[in-house]
Amino acid sequence: MPADEEKTSPVHDRHIALGAKMADFSGWQMPIEYAGVKAEHAAVRERVGIFDVSHLGKALVKGPGAKEFVNSCFTNDLNRIEPGQAQYTMCCNERGGVVDDLIAYLKSDEEIFLIPNAANNAEVVAMLTEAAPEGIEVTNQHTAYGVIAVQGTKSDEVLTALGLPVGHNYMTFVEATWEGQPVIVCRTGYTGERGYELLPQWDQTGALWDALMVAVEEQGGLPAGLGARDTLRTEMGYALHGNELSTELTPIMARAGWAVGWKKESFWGKEALEAEKEAKNTRISWGLDVTGRGIPRAHCDVKDASGTVIGTVTSGTFSPTLSKGIALALLNRGAAEGDEVVIDVRGRDVAAVVKKPPFVEVGVRES
């Protein structure tokens, strides 16, 4: 397939049959909404939702010393976890900017499975391939697996209906089978709710989606698109690459220093990030709880009480749970929780209060 040709997921025909509103997302035709963002968002918060996120990248690093190699590249410390666990980490450039944030599945010391973002999969694979020592093989598996996210308080019931494993701890995974075919079941997600991400083989994704849809509907759930995925993650304050993270925006600016193994001997961008951490002179991410009338959007200026611009919105949306606007923003170091600010929304000042996310409380980390 030519690099510039739009790609589709293995359940694309199901989205069309459901009447989904489709749009381009990182070169992929993906569902933005079905019944509507508000309804899909509420289904996840209150019951369960099912997302097709097969556009997400996949890659495998394999060979003697694979764990040590990956650990010398990405920010987080793989020595913090054991085989069968997954870890949020970042691939940085020499300036400390984030080429991508991704999930690393530690299968063994010789096998690491990676889930990068769709747009950055090829770049991450290229960087790893260039740096890999002899004996370490890096394989682009972008279309080897589908990814289906089942998120919400009823997610266990949905998986149980299909005989899939449930109840394992947050950020752990189980290599299971369904209908005689392999599927990875990981207790991860991007919504804040209890849930799972399932990785079947690409050509098995449609059949698994169909079976999951039946179980989701039995629990009063809905298929959910990337629109609801965005409102759900913004309510939690989760960073999105291209908004809160980028090659110009560092883990420190995004308050993701917790995903940096500062005591590691080396990783890409370490010197630059250590210097930034010491200097304490960059803007950092905050939440903005809108108290006025208006919905902030990315790139809106944020001003203090005197009218001085102190930052910019990186993500802004209407919160279906709170029925008001919320935002994530990069603010000057002097900003503090509880500060009253205004957001310039198309030339109109909208009042907001600085807040540390999440905007809503959920039980994602319950084991």
Side-chain angles (χ1 to χ4, degrees):
M1 178 182 293
D4 59 350
E5 185 175 331
E6 201 160 47
K7 304 173 184 68
T8 58
S9 91
V11 290
H12 179 78
D13 59 335
R14 274 77 167 176
H15 304 318
I16 301 303
L18 287 166
K21 178 182 177 182
M22 307 294 290
D24 174 81
F25 193 89
S26 300
W28 292 72
Q29 269 283 308
M30 298 300 293
I32 302 303
E33 60 181 84
Y34 305 85
V37 171
K38 289 184 183 180
E40 294 160 24
H41 181 110
V44 174
R45 287 277 182 253
E46 298 167 8
R47 300 176 303 280
V48 66
I50 178 173
F51 301 79
D52 173 23
V53 284
S54 297
H55 65 303
L56 290 174
K58 302 100 191 171
L60 184 68
V61 183
K62 192 171 183 179
K67 175 185 172 183
E68 288 77 6
F69 166 62
V70 172
N71 209 30
S72 71
C73 300
F74 298 158
T75 59
N76 215 334
D77 190 352
L78 282 171
N79 290 316
R80 292 172 173 171
I81 65 172
E82 302 290 335
Q85 292 183 290
Q87 183 183 72
Y88 177 80
T89 189
M90 286 165 281
C91 172
C92 289
N93 59 28
E94 70 279 0
R95 302 182 307 279
V98 182
V99 175
D100 196 32
D101 62 330
L102 61 158
I103 302 291
Y105 287 56
L106 180 60
K107 291 193 170 188
S108 71
D109 288 355
E110 298 188 354
E111 190 171 2
I112 315 294
F113 184 68
L114 305 173
I115 305 286
N117 284 292
N120 304 321
N121 189 75
E123 178 65 17
V124 171
V125 169
M127 291 175 68
L128 289 169
T129 300
E130 183 178 354
E134 187 175 353
I136 300 291
E137 182 181 7
V138 182
T139 308
N140 187 336
Q141 298 188 332
H142 204 151
T143 56
Y145 299 90
V147 188
I148 301 173
V150 178
Q151 301 282 296
T153 55
K154 297 293 187 180
S155 56
D156 280 32
E157 287 86 341
V158 170
L159 268 67
T160 297
L162 273 68
L164 290 167
V166 298
H168 41 294
N169 290 338
Y170 184 62
M171 295 299 283
T172 65
F173 63 93
V174 176
E175 298 192 55
T177 59
W178 179 76
E179 299 291 311
Q181 300 296 323
V183 58
I184 302 171
V185 181
C186 194
R187 272 272 284 117
T188 51
Y190 198 47
T191 66
E193 296 296 338
R194 182 180 183 88
Y196 301 84
E197 290 180 309
L198 313 179
L199 285 88
Q201 294 181 25
W202 188 264
D203 60 3
Q204 296 295 318
T205 307
L208 180 58
W209 170 274
D210 292 342
L212 288 167
M213 274 290 295
V214 172
V216 165
E217 290 172 351
E218 288 175 350
Q219 297 297 328
L222 291 172
L226 298 185
R229 191 168 184 257
D230 192 60
T231 56
L232 290 157
R233 71 93 189 170
T234 305
E235 287 186 347
M236 295 305 299
Y238 292 161
L240 174 66
H241 193 274
N243 292 45
E244 287 70 45
L245 296 165
S246 74
T247 52
E248 304 301 320
L249 301 178
T250 69
I252 293 170
M253 298 170 76
R255 291 187 184 270
W258 56 269
V260 178
W262 296 106
K263 295 181 180 179
K264 290 200 301 182
E265 182 178 340
S266 65
F267 57 84
W268 294 338
K270 184 182 182 187
E271 290 184 6
L273 289 173
E274 286 179 331
E276 181 185 344
K277 183 183 180 185
E278 180 68 24
K280 294 185 173 69
N281 59 4
T282 56
R283 285 177 170 176
I284 56 174
S285 186
W286 282 97
L288 298 178
D289 195 355
V290 175
T291 55
R293 292 176 60 85
I295 309 301
R297 300 299 181 189
H299 311 301
C300 290
D301 285 338
V302 182
K303 300 180 285 188
D304 64 13
S306 68
T308 301
V309 174
I310 61 168
T312 184
V313 172
T314 53
S315 293
T317 192
F318 175 81
S319 163
T321 303
L322 303 174
S323 295
K324 63 179 180 179
I326 58 173
L328 301 175
L330 281 172
L331 303 181
N332 292 346
R333 288 274 175 161
E337 186 156 23
D339 285 357
E340 295 183 355
V341 297
V342 292
I343 307 169
D344 183 345
V345 180
R346 295 186 296 276
R348 186 169 62 86
D349 286 348
V350 175
V353 176
V354 176
K355 173 183 173 62
K356 189 172 182 180
F359 295 94
V360 299
E361 295 298 328
V362 297
V364 65
R365 295 183 185 276
E366 294 176 2
S367 60

